[in-house]
Amino acid sequence: MRLTLKVWRQAGPADRGGFRTYQAHDVSEHMSFLEMLDVVNEDLLATAEEPIAFDHDCREGICGTCALMINGMPHGPKHATTTCQLHMRSFHDGDTITIEPWRARAFPVLRDLVVDRSSFDRIISAGGFVTAPTGSAQDANAILVPKDQSDLAMDAAACIGCGACVAACPNGSAMLFTAAKVVHLALLPQGQPERSRRVLAMVHQMDAEAFGGCTLFGECEAACPKEITIENIMRMNRDLMRATLRDRGDREAEALA
Amino acid sequence: MKRLFALWATTVGKKVAMAVTGIVMILFLVSHMISNVLIFKNPAHLDSYAAWLRSLGPALWIARVGLLGAVVVHIVAAYQLTMRARRARPIAYDRHEKQVTTYAARTMRWGGVLLLVFIVFHLLHFTTGTLHPDFHPGEAGRNVIEGMQVTPVAIFYLVSMLALGLHFSHGIWASFGTLGFHNPAYNQWRRLLAWGVAILVAGGFATIPAAAILGYLK
Ligand code: HEM
Ligand code: FES
């Protein structure tokens, strides 16, 4: 099929940037979206123009590196699918496709479609370590976890940190990401010793990174390629309230406030 | 107190403050609506309700200050979070297709501003009488009936109640989530409860200007 691509081009963080239009010929419906961009870049190599920069790594939908706003939807039109797992059969011959980077103050554009997501890394590192021993495997039944709890924890742990939640949110909020990271540990026995300290530190870091607040629009949940639900945000809210109003006591937490 | 301020310092805490103050206002509005519709039974009911309120003396003032405080906290948090959301996305998308945002959720901010304008007008209309064509202190029932005969004013009341219903429908649903109440067993009832209260309260209030426009309230 033939496609028209309207792509955001920006030479560097300080460049103003703008859209450029490209024609993609001979696109097979079996190609992934990133393979289609690879082919467009091959063509660009034959010209004086720089290839389009975009992020990708595993191309298996597990690393969270690929991150494109496709036709106004993070990771494109297919539900629960990362950009690398999106195939061209989701589009039609003759379509015009708009491709933009994630837009958030906390995700500055580095080049073209590549944004700097280290604000997410700083939220994670604010969460700190768990004191549960992780070195040698212990007896599988030594710590009992109810099945429904472990299921919820595993659902939250499926977050790959791609940033689609921030990209989709009308407020540019990172609540779904932060909640997934807080909640998967808060639901498990191994996460209990640092539970209060962790939620306080991660929410404070999230706010310090200039993300917006949550108004429960639900756009993050709809955009998430790993189907993280907004119930996690509700769990984190409760954890934060408990940590602030009841459990605060340890000095590190006091220092944060 | 220190802990409350620590909570307020976070974006989550500001939403908690909005949920709590919102619920306070809703509880007031439920009782206010019920006493208002008694005007259909007999306008004098409203007078005795107003007289009873005034007989509470200091308690009435505590309630007034509490409600005013709730309105102020709610608006300050809304303003701060709105500005923060604006700053969080300095460059808009060329295309942004919202998938699930409801009309009610999208209009929380401007709808809230309309409600603020409404609250100010309403107090000048029936509490101080400043904007009332023929105000008689102490005769609440008569003041309402006379005041609602001005059709543009009655229409403004109707539009405001529409905004109130929308604001409630998202606000009540969202406040469960903000306060961390969620449970698969009752999650599905939250929307229903939110719409139920919204329609009951806004609809109840709306009967009065509607009746006036249709000529039933004279
Ligand atoms: C006076 C002007 C008002 C403004 C500017 C305003 C604005 C807002 C905004 C921006 C939100 C957040 C929306 C969201 O997070 O999705 C909100 C939520 C809410 N509002 Fe208002 N509002 C006003 C009046 C009221 C009134 C009169 C009531 C009830 C009597 C009310 C009840 C609520 C509730 C319960 C919430 C939910 C809080 C939450 O999301 O947890 N608001 N309001
Ligand atoms: S490239 Fe790893 S998830 Fe898409």
Side-chain angles (χ1 to χ4, degrees), chain A residues 215, chain B residues 15 18-19 22 25-26 29 74-75 78 108-109 112-113 116 167-168 170-171 174-175 178:
Chain A
T215 51
Chain B
K15 280 305 296 287
M18 292 191 72
M25 289 187 271
I26 288 169
L29 288 188
H74 197 86
I75 294 174
M108 285 307 267
R109 287 169 187 151
V113 171
L116 177 63
H167 202 86
F168 272 26
H170 180 75
S175 46
T178 301

Side-chain angles (χ1 to χ4, degrees), chain A residues 113-135:
Chain A
L113 304 169
V114 179
V115 299
D116 177 359
R117 283 169 285 182
S118 39
S119 47
F120 268 15
D121 299 339
R122 290 189 289 274
I123 293 175
I124 294 288
S125 39
F129 298 96
V130 284
T131 43
T134 52

Side-chain angles (χ1 to χ4, degrees), chain B residues 18 47 54 65 92 103 121 136 169 210 212 216:
Chain B
M18 292 191 72
D47 298 353
R54 236 161 283 130
V65 171
Y103 184 74
F121 174 80
H136 295 262
S169 76
Y216 290 117

Side-chain angles (χ1 to χ4, degrees), chain A residues 34 56-66 82-84 160:
Chain A
L34 298 185
H56 61 100
D57 190 10
C58 71
R59 297 203 177 196
E60 290 182 336
I62 54 174
C63 74
T65 309
C66 58
T82 55
T83 301
C84 59
I160 54 177

Side-chain angles (χ1 to χ4, degrees), chain A residues 3-250:
Chain A
L3 298 167
T4 304
L5 305 181
K6 192 178 155 193
V7 184
W8 182 262
R9 301 302 310 262
Q10 182 172 337
D15 183 33
R16 281 184 57 108
F19 282 101
R20 297 253 341 199
T21 305
Y22 303 94
Q23 301 299 325
H25 311 283
D26 297 328
V27 174
S28 155
E29 60 183 9
H30 303 301
M31 284 177 177
S32 76
F33 200 84
L34 298 185
E35 283 164 345
M36 182 275 294
L37 286 179
D38 291 338
V39 170
V40 171
N41 275 344
E42 285 291 333
D43 291 347
L44 284 181
L45 281 177
T47 71
E49 205 172 336
E50 283 283 318
I52 303 163
F54 59 90
D55 255 339
H56 61 100
D57 190 10
C58 71
R59 297 203 177 196
E60 290 182 336
I62 54 174
C63 74
T65 309
C66 58
L68 298 179
M69 192 79 169
I70 302 167
N71 282 344
M73 289 164 279
H75 296 300
K78 202 149 185 293
H79 177 68
T81 306
T82 55
T83 301
C84 59
Q85 292 291 296
L86 176 70
H87 286 79
M88 296 316 291
R89 53 181 166 271
S90 297
F91 300 89
H92 302 286
D93 188 34
D95 277 0
T96 297
I97 304 176
T98 306
I99 310 173
E100 297 172 77
W102 287 173
R103 292 287 187 203
R105 182 179 294 276
F107 288 167
V109 173
L110 294 176
R111 184 168 179 179
D112 295 342
L113 304 169
V114 179
V115 299
D116 177 359
R117 283 169 285 182
S118 39
S119 47
F120 268 15
D121 299 339
R122 290 189 289 274
I123 293 175
I124 294 288
S125 39
F129 298 96
V130 284
T131 43
T134 52
S136 51
Q138 54 183 336
D139 181 25
N141 291 329
I143 302 173
L144 298 178
V145 184
K147 170 84 168 105
D148 51 348
Q149 290 288 107
S150 77
D151 281 354
L152 289 171
M154 288 304 146
D155 287 349
C159 168
I160 54 177
C162 62
C165 43
V166 174
C169 177
N171 300 314
S173 172
M175 283 283 276
L176 193 68
F177 166 77
T178 310
K181 299 305 177 192
V182 164
V183 164
H184 83 274
L185 284 168
L187 285 169
L188 295 174
Q190 291 88 340
Q192 297 314 307
E194 296 81 22
R195 183 172 177 177
S196 288
R197 200 200 59 75
R198 186 184 311 114
V199 66
L200 285 166
M202 291 180 81
V203 169
H204 277 89
Q205 190 61 38
M206 173 186 83
D207 285 349
E209 297 290 347
F211 289 107
C214 172
T215 51
L216 292 168
F217 282 118
E219 292 296 334
C220 53
E221 176 183 83
C224 178
K226 296 297 160 186
E227 302 182 283
I228 310 290
T229 65
I230 55 173
E231 266 79 50
N232 289 296
I233 293 177
M234 302 171 189
R235 284 191 192 93
M236 178 172 77
N237 287 346
R238 184 150 51 173
D239 255 32
L240 184 81
M241 275 188 278
R242 184 171 36 208
T244 319
L245 300 179
R246 216 178 66 199
D247 298 347
R248 279 173 74 241
D250 76 80

